[in-house]
Amino acid sequence: MGTVRLTAAQALVRFLAAQHTERDGVERRFFSGCFGIFGHGNVAGVGQALQQYSEELTYYQARNEQAMVHTAAAYARHKNRLSTMACTSSIGPGATNMVTGAALATINRLPVLLLPGDVFASRRPDPVLQQLEAPHDGKLSVNDCFRPVSRYWDRIERPEQVIPAAMNAMRVLTSQAETGAVTLAFPQDVQAEAYDYPEEFFRKRVWRIPRPLPERELLERAAAMIRGAQRPMIVAGGGVIYSEATEALRSFVESTGIPVGETQAGKGSLPYDHPCSLGAVGATGTFAANRVAAEADLVIGVGTRYTDFTTASKTAFQNPDVRFVNINVADFDAHKHAGLALVGDARATLEALAELLAGHEVGREYREQNERLNREWDREVERLYTLHHEPVPAQSEVIGAVNAAAGPRDVVVCAAGSMPGELHKLWRTRDPKGYHVEYGYSCMGYEIAGGLGVKMADPSREVYVLVGDGSYLMMSSEIITSIQEGCKLTIVLVDNAGFASIGSLSRSVGSDGFGTHYRYRKGGSLGLDSEKAPGAVLPVDLAKNAEGYGAHVMSARTIPELEEALAEARSLERTVVIHVPVDRYVGVPDYGSFWDVPVAEVSEMEPVRTAREQYDKNRRAERWYL
């Protein structure tokens, strides 16, 4: 076997460029490029390697380290976790900026490779600029912060360690069950050290993504449980989409008549107008899905993590005899709620169950009830789309205008604030990839960076980013990257002069929106969420800010103006920002759902005491699923 002498960084970059995945006979490159911001901790190592091998692995320039991880995660999600990006930073703040992105990727089960620079492995020049010194541990660096938010973590302290570290990284990144952020901390001196690497290390390597099936006995038990259920319901999570199981799900529900509620990650598993679609389920669910969930005697979870929003803090499924069958490629998720764990690929498992259930259907009355709920909910969506609220529109009307402007294959992107909950209820999905809301971590600042990742993953689709002013102010810098890369986004910037979502939550717990307005301080206070609030609204001009980034900017104060702006945006070739003020107090109803946010047990404030009484009443519906 021959060898080639390379630096550790050069070897890693060449290895990454040679990795591929294959599923169902379709092969693709796993790493489509590497985002990076260079500093003294990576410019001479990874940076030099990316320049030297720029034709093998494309380098993308970012403006914020957290944002570039979000972009990579969004890219991986849109590619069904079969392709991703790497991200490199310098040591110190460049590295720790990526920690939030790592947590988001891991929580959402999205593969992203992080290559933060690290301090000298030799320790000779310690302490170097930006080094954390720990008196109790000479090996500790800020990169140890990545340990709890990574699915695999390693520190490459010798150049030959690149080989096992890279192989282990790929093992985890390509595992549909274990995937998430992978961190390879890379000391800056080791990046530049040379070693004679075996040429075999750089050959094209194809990682097969299998479709495992549960044991036959478990499938038969699940089929028996479904046959015995009177009111079964499916909860479709992100695993339906990642495993490309949407057609299998459609066939399954059309033959059995079992209705479907969707999680945030699973929205789009069925088209919104499919008669078996009940829409969003849980704390941000529709009345259609939540009414059925409350009476369901069997819940079939497909690719879902069962977060507290999906289960409405374990109040959604109220049938005392409810049982669970969970289809998930990860046994950790498949065993939740003491369910019958069908550990396997969503598509393959649904197809196997369909064979076992041939000829089985739910009762006619139950099927007709669910079809009626689908129609009733769509009428409610139309009502909320057309409130004609003045003097500025309601957020639901903005969503309706964007939905009408978007084509069937276009994508809406969002992440945090009040918008995700309203999108979950109201967005009319027509394509499995048309809805991209990050709600595993619900990370403010994800929206624009995430939209960039979606556009990079599929330039043929128009990408609509819906972002509130709070998230925009946290991270709008990747507008510049979208323009630099020619990745057009249509960003609808919804402005309510503060944190409207938390303002609403604050009012619900008796705190009157404290600290959620963007106001001048007056009389020692930043203001309350009421007409008596002191201090005028801050004169922040977000439209001018976006214009300064190089975006084409338009403003709309009414829905007709927004519709005109959206029509114009579709004809433009560079990123567009449409600034829309909305009324923060006009929201979409919760339709009786609950989310457990503890209220102060004792307080001198009467609204808090009242809220606590309601909270105690709501919590009585919480239960263990055993």
PDB file of all heavy atoms in Angstrom, residues 550-570:
ATOM      1  N   GLY A 550     -27.567  44.813   1.255  1.00  0.00           N
ATOM      2  CA  GLY A 550     -27.591  44.604  -0.187  1.00  0.00           C
ATOM      3  C   GLY A 550     -28.853  43.948  -0.694  1.00  0.00           C
ATOM      4  O   GLY A 550     -28.957  43.636  -1.885  1.00  0.00           O
ATOM      5  N   ALA A 551     -29.831  43.708   0.194  1.00  0.00           N
ATOM      6  CA  ALA A 551     -31.085  43.092  -0.231  1.00  0.00           C
ATOM      7  C   ALA A 551     -31.973  44.108  -0.937  1.00  0.00           C
ATOM      8  O   ALA A 551     -31.861  45.322  -0.725  1.00  0.00           O
ATOM      9  CB  ALA A 551     -31.823  42.515   0.974  1.00  0.00           C
ATOM     10  N   HIS A 552     -32.862  43.612  -1.770  1.00  0.00           N
ATOM     11  CA  HIS A 552     -33.926  44.448  -2.341  1.00  0.00           C
ATOM     12  C   HIS A 552     -35.028  44.521  -1.281  1.00  0.00           C
ATOM     13  O   HIS A 552     -35.576  43.490  -0.866  1.00  0.00           O
ATOM     14  CB  HIS A 552     -34.464  43.834  -3.626  1.00  0.00           C
ATOM     15  CG  HIS A 552     -35.519  44.660  -4.285  1.00  0.00           C
ATOM     16  ND1 HIS A 552     -35.235  45.599  -5.265  1.00  0.00           N
ATOM     17  CD2 HIS A 552     -36.867  44.709  -4.095  1.00  0.00           C
ATOM     18  CE1 HIS A 552     -36.358  46.175  -5.653  1.00  0.00           C
ATOM     19  NE2 HIS A 552     -37.369  45.648  -4.964  1.00  0.00           N
ATOM     20  N   VAL A 553     -35.370  45.723  -0.855  1.00  0.00           N
ATOM     21  CA  VAL A 553     -36.271  45.891   0.286  1.00  0.00           C
ATOM     22  C   VAL A 553     -37.569  46.553  -0.146  1.00  0.00           C
ATOM     23  O   VAL A 553     -37.568  47.521  -0.913  1.00  0.00           O
ATOM     24  CB  VAL A 553     -35.588  46.724   1.398  1.00  0.00           C
ATOM     25  CG1 VAL A 553     -36.554  46.976   2.552  1.00  0.00           C
ATOM     26  CG2 VAL A 553     -34.346  45.996   1.905  1.00  0.00           C
ATOM     27  N   MET A 554     -38.666  46.002   0.361  1.00  0.00           N
ATOM     28  CA  MET A 554     -39.987  46.592   0.164  1.00  0.00           C
ATOM     29  C   MET A 554     -40.707  46.635   1.505  1.00  0.00           C
ATOM     30  O   MET A 554     -40.390  45.859   2.406  1.00  0.00           O
ATOM     31  CB  MET A 554     -40.801  45.768  -0.838  1.00  0.00           C
ATOM     32  CG  MET A 554     -40.239  45.775  -2.256  1.00  0.00           C
ATOM     33  SD  MET A 554     -41.215  44.759  -3.400  1.00  0.00           S
ATOM     34  CE  MET A 554     -40.461  43.163  -3.132  1.00  0.00           C
ATOM     35  N   SER A 555     -41.667  47.541   1.627  1.00  0.00           N
ATOM     36  CA  SER A 555     -42.475  47.635   2.845  1.00  0.00           C
ATOM     37  C   SER A 555     -43.937  47.468   2.486  1.00  0.00           C
ATOM     38  O   SER A 555     -44.374  47.880   1.404  1.00  0.00           O
ATOM     39  CB  SER A 555     -42.250  48.982   3.538  1.00  0.00           C
ATOM     40  OG  SER A 555     -40.922  49.087   3.998  1.00  0.00           O
ATOM     41  N   ALA A 556     -44.673  46.852   3.393  1.00  0.00           N
ATOM     42  CA  ALA A 556     -46.105  46.639   3.172  1.00  0.00           C
ATOM     43  C   ALA A 556     -46.832  46.818   4.495  1.00  0.00           C
ATOM     44  O   ALA A 556     -46.492  46.161   5.474  1.00  0.00           O
ATOM     45  CB  ALA A 556     -46.350  45.240   2.603  1.00  0.00           C
ATOM     46  N   ARG A 557     -47.831  47.670   4.508  1.00  0.00           N
ATOM     47  CA  ARG A 557     -48.610  47.890   5.729  1.00  0.00           C
ATOM     48  C   ARG A 557     -49.989  47.248   5.661  1.00  0.00           C
ATOM     49  O   ARG A 557     -50.704  47.209   6.654  1.00  0.00           O
ATOM     50  CB  ARG A 557     -48.764  49.391   6.007  1.00  0.00           C
ATOM     51  CG  ARG A 557     -47.468  50.080   6.413  1.00  0.00           C
ATOM     52  CD  ARG A 557     -47.736  51.490   6.938  1.00  0.00           C
ATOM     53  NE  ARG A 557     -48.585  51.479   8.120  1.00  0.00           N
ATOM     54  CZ  ARG A 557     -48.157  51.298   9.372  1.00  0.00           C
ATOM     55  NH1 ARG A 557     -46.849  51.104   9.585  1.00  0.00           N
ATOM     56  NH2 ARG A 557     -48.993  51.311  10.393  1.00  0.00           N
ATOM     57  N   THR A 558     -50.354  46.751   4.499  1.00  0.00           N
ATOM     58  CA  THR A 558     -51.646  46.091   4.335  1.00  0.00           C
ATOM     59  C   THR A 558     -51.433  44.780   3.579  1.00  0.00           C
ATOM     60  O   THR A 558     -50.392  44.566   2.943  1.00  0.00           O
ATOM     61  CB  THR A 558     -52.631  46.962   3.544  1.00  0.00           C
ATOM     62  OG1 THR A 558     -52.142  47.106   2.196  1.00  0.00           O
ATOM     63  CG2 THR A 558     -52.786  48.351   4.179  1.00  0.00           C
ATOM     64  N   ILE A 559     -52.429  43.918   3.625  1.00  0.00           N
ATOM     65  CA  ILE A 559     -52.319  42.649   2.907  1.00  0.00           C
ATOM     66  C   ILE A 559     -52.274  42.865   1.399  1.00  0.00           C
ATOM     67  O   ILE A 559     -51.463  42.220   0.719  1.00  0.00           O
ATOM     68  CB  ILE A 559     -53.464  41.699   3.310  1.00  0.00           C
ATOM     69  CG1 ILE A 559     -53.306  41.290   4.780  1.00  0.00           C
ATOM     70  CG2 ILE A 559     -53.478  40.462   2.420  1.00  0.00           C
ATOM     71  CD1 ILE A 559     -51.992  40.602   5.105  1.00  0.00           C
ATOM     72  N   PRO A 560     -53.079  43.763   0.805  1.00  0.00           N
ATOM     73  CA  PRO A 560     -52.910  44.008  -0.632  1.00  0.00           C
ATOM     74  C   PRO A 560     -51.505  44.482  -0.998  1.00  0.00           C
ATOM     75  O   PRO A 560     -50.952  44.070  -2.020  1.00  0.00           O
ATOM     76  CB  PRO A 560     -53.958  45.091  -0.928  1.00  0.00           C
ATOM     77  CG  PRO A 560     -55.032  44.847   0.080  1.00  0.00           C
ATOM     78  CD  PRO A 560     -54.292  44.440   1.321  1.00  0.00           C
ATOM     79  N   GLU A 561     -50.915  45.326  -0.168  1.00  0.00           N
ATOM     80  CA  GLU A 561     -49.544  45.768  -0.427  1.00  0.00           C
ATOM     81  C   GLU A 561     -48.569  44.594  -0.314  1.00  0.00           C
ATOM     82  O   GLU A 561     -47.615  44.488  -1.092  1.00  0.00           O
ATOM     83  CB  GLU A 561     -49.147  46.879   0.550  1.00  0.00           C
ATOM     84  CG  GLU A 561     -49.846  48.203   0.286  1.00  0.00           C
ATOM     85  CD  GLU A 561     -49.472  49.254   1.319  1.00  0.00           C
ATOM     86  OE1 GLU A 561     -48.699  48.934   2.256  1.00  0.00           O
ATOM     87  OE2 GLU A 561     -49.967  50.397   1.210  1.00  0.00           O
ATOM     88  N   LEU A 562     -48.799  43.720   0.648  1.00  0.00           N
ATOM     89  CA  LEU A 562     -47.952  42.536   0.791  1.00  0.00           C
ATOM     90  C   LEU A 562     -48.091  41.625  -0.424  1.00  0.00           C
ATOM     91  O   LEU A 562     -47.090  41.095  -0.937  1.00  0.00           O
ATOM     92  CB  LEU A 562     -48.315  41.781   2.070  1.00  0.00           C
ATOM     93  CG  LEU A 562     -47.604  40.443   2.299  1.00  0.00           C
ATOM     94  CD1 LEU A 562     -46.085  40.621   2.344  1.00  0.00           C
ATOM     95  CD2 LEU A 562     -48.103  39.783   3.585  1.00  0.00           C
ATOM     96  N   GLU A 563     -49.295  41.433  -0.891  1.00  0.00           N
ATOM     97  CA  GLU A 563     -49.508  40.589  -2.071  1.00  0.00           C
ATOM     98  C   GLU A 563     -48.777  41.153  -3.289  1.00  0.00           C
ATOM     99  O   GLU A 563     -48.178  40.404  -4.071  1.00  0.00           O
ATOM    100  CB  GLU A 563     -51.011  40.466  -2.341  1.00  0.00           C
ATOM    101  CG  GLU A 563     -51.746  39.652  -1.282  1.00  0.00           C
ATOM    102  CD  GLU A 563     -53.249  39.749  -1.386  1.00  0.00           C
ATOM    103  OE1 GLU A 563     -53.756  40.684  -2.046  1.00  0.00           O
ATOM    104  OE2 GLU A 563     -53.953  38.899  -0.802  1.00  0.00           O
ATOM    105  N   GLU A 564     -48.805  42.475  -3.458  1.00  0.00           N
ATOM    106  CA  GLU A 564     -48.090  43.100  -4.563  1.00  0.00           C
ATOM    107  C   GLU A 564     -46.583  42.897  -4.414  1.00  0.00           C
ATOM    108  O   GLU A 564     -45.874  42.610  -5.387  1.00  0.00           O
ATOM    109  CB  GLU A 564     -48.422  44.595  -4.624  1.00  0.00           C
ATOM    110  CG  GLU A 564     -49.835  44.908  -5.058  1.00  0.00           C
ATOM    111  CD  GLU A 564     -50.109  46.400  -5.069  1.00  0.00           C
ATOM    112  OE1 GLU A 564     -49.132  47.191  -4.926  1.00  0.00           O
ATOM    113  OE2 GLU A 564     -51.284  46.796  -5.202  1.00  0.00           O
ATOM    114  N   ALA A 565     -46.090  43.054  -3.187  1.00  0.00           N
ATOM    115  CA  ALA A 565     -44.659  42.889  -2.936  1.00  0.00           C
ATOM    116  C   ALA A 565     -44.217  41.452  -3.205  1.00  0.00           C
ATOM    117  O   ALA A 565     -43.143  41.211  -3.773  1.00  0.00           O
ATOM    118  CB  ALA A 565     -44.330  43.296  -1.503  1.00  0.00           C
ATOM    119  N   LEU A 566     -45.023  40.482  -2.787  1.00  0.00           N
ATOM    120  CA  LEU A 566     -44.686  39.075  -3.017  1.00  0.00           C
ATOM    121  C   LEU A 566     -44.667  38.749  -4.505  1.00  0.00           C
ATOM    122  O   LEU A 566     -43.812  37.982  -4.975  1.00  0.00           O
ATOM    123  CB  LEU A 566     -45.687  38.175  -2.288  1.00  0.00           C
ATOM    124  CG  LEU A 566     -45.563  38.146  -0.759  1.00  0.00           C
ATOM    125  CD1 LEU A 566     -46.812  37.534  -0.134  1.00  0.00           C
ATOM    126  CD2 LEU A 566     -44.322  37.361  -0.338  1.00  0.00           C
ATOM    127  N   ALA A 567     -45.595  39.331  -5.253  1.00  0.00           N
ATOM    128  CA  ALA A 567     -45.618  39.102  -6.697  1.00  0.00           C
ATOM    129  C   ALA A 567     -44.371  39.688  -7.351  1.00  0.00           C
ATOM    130  O   ALA A 567     -43.750  39.063  -8.221  1.00  0.00           O
ATOM    131  CB  ALA A 567     -46.881  39.716  -7.299  1.00  0.00           C
ATOM    132  N   GLU A 568     -43.972  40.892  -6.919  1.00  0.00           N
ATOM    133  CA  GLU A 568     -42.757  41.501  -7.462  1.00  0.00           C
ATOM    134  C   GLU A 568     -41.518  40.700  -7.064  1.00  0.00           C
ATOM    135  O   GLU A 568     -40.605  40.506  -7.874  1.00  0.00           O
ATOM    136  CB  GLU A 568     -42.627  42.942  -6.969  1.00  0.00           C
ATOM    137  CG  GLU A 568     -41.401  43.655  -7.516  1.00  0.00           C
ATOM    138  CD  GLU A 568     -41.265  45.077  -7.005  1.00  0.00           C
ATOM    139  OE1 GLU A 568     -42.244  45.611  -6.433  1.00  0.00           O
ATOM    140  OE2 GLU A 568     -40.171  45.666  -7.176  1.00  0.00           O
ATOM    141  N   ALA A 569     -41.501  40.220  -5.824  1.00  0.00           N
ATOM    142  CA  ALA A 569     -40.338  39.470  -5.334  1.00  0.00           C
ATOM    143  C   ALA A 569     -40.086  38.236  -6.167  1.00  0.00           C
ATOM    144  O   ALA A 569     -38.934  37.848  -6.394  1.00  0.00           O
ATOM    145  CB  ALA A 569     -40.553  39.080  -3.868  1.00  0.00           C
ATOM    146  N   ARG A 570     -41.132  37.620  -6.637  1.00  0.00           N
ATOM    147  CA  ARG A 570     -40.968  36.382  -7.411  1.00  0.00           C
ATOM    148  C   ARG A 570     -40.212  36.627  -8.709  1.00  0.00           C
ATOM    149  O   ARG A 570     -39.547  35.719  -9.224  1.00  0.00           O
ATOM    150  CB  ARG A 570     -42.334  35.763  -7.683  1.00  0.00           C
ATOM    151  CG  ARG A 570     -42.260  34.297  -8.020  1.00  0.00           C
ATOM    152  CD  ARG A 570     -43.594  33.601  -7.931  1.00  0.00           C
ATOM    153  NE  ARG A 570     -43.397  32.170  -8.120  1.00  0.00           N
ATOM    154  CZ  ARG A 570     -43.231  31.284  -7.147  1.00  0.00           C
ATOM    155  NH1 ARG A 570     -43.234  31.700  -5.889  1.00  0.00           N
ATOM    156  NH2 ARG A 570     -43.043  29.999  -7.396  1.00  0.00           N
TER     157      ARG A 570
END
